[in-house]
Amino acid sequence: MPVTEQRQTFRSGGRSIAVDVFQTSGTAPRPAVLMLHGADGLSGHDQYREGARSIAGAGYQVHLVHYLDRTGERRASFSTLFQNFQLWMETVNDALAWVSSHANADSSRIGIVGISLGAALGLAVSSADRRIKALVNYFGPLPHGAIAQDARLPPTLILHGGMDPIVPVSNAYAIEALLRQQAVPHEIKVYPEQAHGFRGEAHRDATQRALAFLRRHLSSEAGAGPSPFSVNG
């Protein structure tokens, strides 16, 4: 089915935050997915919108959140990244509240797909918000200090490149260790020859894994049975 795209906005910290909403036609409630882009932002990049269309085409309402609007940036500045992280977290939390009341969104089935910096934000936010039922982490760092000791993450899929020079693959294994410690259903796939971003067959495989993971954990039957724990499957 064709996917429509519509620009909408919500307020966070006194600023207007843009959201691109992707969905197929119909009025039946459907699972909602927040997509959080990387530090490179959304200017001049089509891969985030292409990913959003792929997920929406599988039956989800996808919200690509322009969280950098909160700090007035087109791309995240590494010199101020750590001091802005909390502000972006607040904006993602505000986005969750906005999505929960969005037309045709099933507020009981919300997931996050985060890429790089967006994946770190997804980890931090979902660790404290039980509305998040699934998290897909594309080569994101473990945000030290942003996850409470008593927090519990949702079912999580970790996708990482073994040769990532920006976010070393040790981050993927650190997140996996945390998930094991919490006995959280999770999967991890490391692509040995990939760097910060996937190409070719790795890109196609990661997309299929992400869609399958969302289907398992956001479908109407999710939670009916045990979820497998698998490593590099």
Side-chain angles (χ1 to χ4, degrees):
M1 297 180 66
V3 173
T4 63
E5 176 182 350
Q6 184 181 34
R7 174 68 55 84
Q8 300 185 18
T9 61
F10 67 94
R11 302 291 293 180
S12 179
R15 289 180 174 266
S16 178
I17 311 297
V19 186
D20 296 322
V21 182
F22 300 78
Q23 60 187 334
T24 56
S25 60
T27 58
R30 65 198 72 187
V33 172
L34 269 71
M35 179 173 279
L36 305 177
H37 60 77
D40 52 351
L42 292 168
S43 298
H45 295 285
D46 291 330
Q47 71 267 29
Y48 296 119
R49 288 182 171 83
E50 290 173 3
R53 291 187 192 99
S54 295
I55 297 171
Y60 302 89
Q61 186 182 84
V62 182
H63 300 258
L64 180 56
V65 182
H66 298 222
Y67 62 85
L68 293 181
D69 287 353
R70 176 67 183 269
T71 49
E73 299 169 286
R74 287 192 170 187
R75 60 182 298 128
S77 169
F78 286 98
S79 64
T80 57
L81 189 148
F82 293 103
Q83 70 187 56
N84 286 335
F85 193 85
Q86 183 64 42
L87 296 177
W88 297 327
M89 279 182 61
E90 291 174 5
T91 294
V92 175
N93 278 317
D94 290 339
L96 280 170
W98 183 78
V99 168
S100 294
S101 60
H102 199 276
N104 304 332
D106 184 345
S107 61
S108 68
R109 294 184 289 163
I110 299 177
I112 290 180
V113 174
I115 301 91
S116 193
L117 173 59
L121 289 166
L123 279 166
V125 169
S126 64
S127 70
D129 197 318
R130 295 299 178 90
R131 288 176 294 184
I132 308 304
K133 300 300 190 291
L135 173 64
V136 178
N137 180 307
Y138 276 87
F139 38 88
L142 180 63
H144 295 286
I147 298 178
Q149 292 292 325
D150 58 347
R152 181 174 175 81
L153 287 160
T156 300
L157 170 64
I158 306 164
L159 302 165
H160 216 106
M163 299 180 67
D164 192 328
I166 297 174
V167 180
V169 70
S170 57
N171 283 270
Y173 296 125
I175 295 166
E176 178 197 14
L178 177 61
L179 293 163
R180 284 188 177 277
Q181 178 185 334
Q182 296 184 357
V184 171
H186 64 278
E187 300 172 27
I188 177 171
K189 176 62 177 178
V190 173
Y191 300 92
E193 303 301 321
Q194 297 292 311
H196 196 67
F198 303 144
R199 302 289 184 270
E201 181 56 35
H203 173 74
R204 289 186 288 272
D205 182 78
T207 298
Q208 292 307 308
R209 286 176 184 270
L211 290 173
F213 189 83
L214 292 173
R215 183 167 61 249
R216 261 194 307 280
H217 294 284
L218 296 183
S219 72
S220 58
E221 294 81 22
S227 296
F229 289 73
S230 62
V231 178
N232 290 327

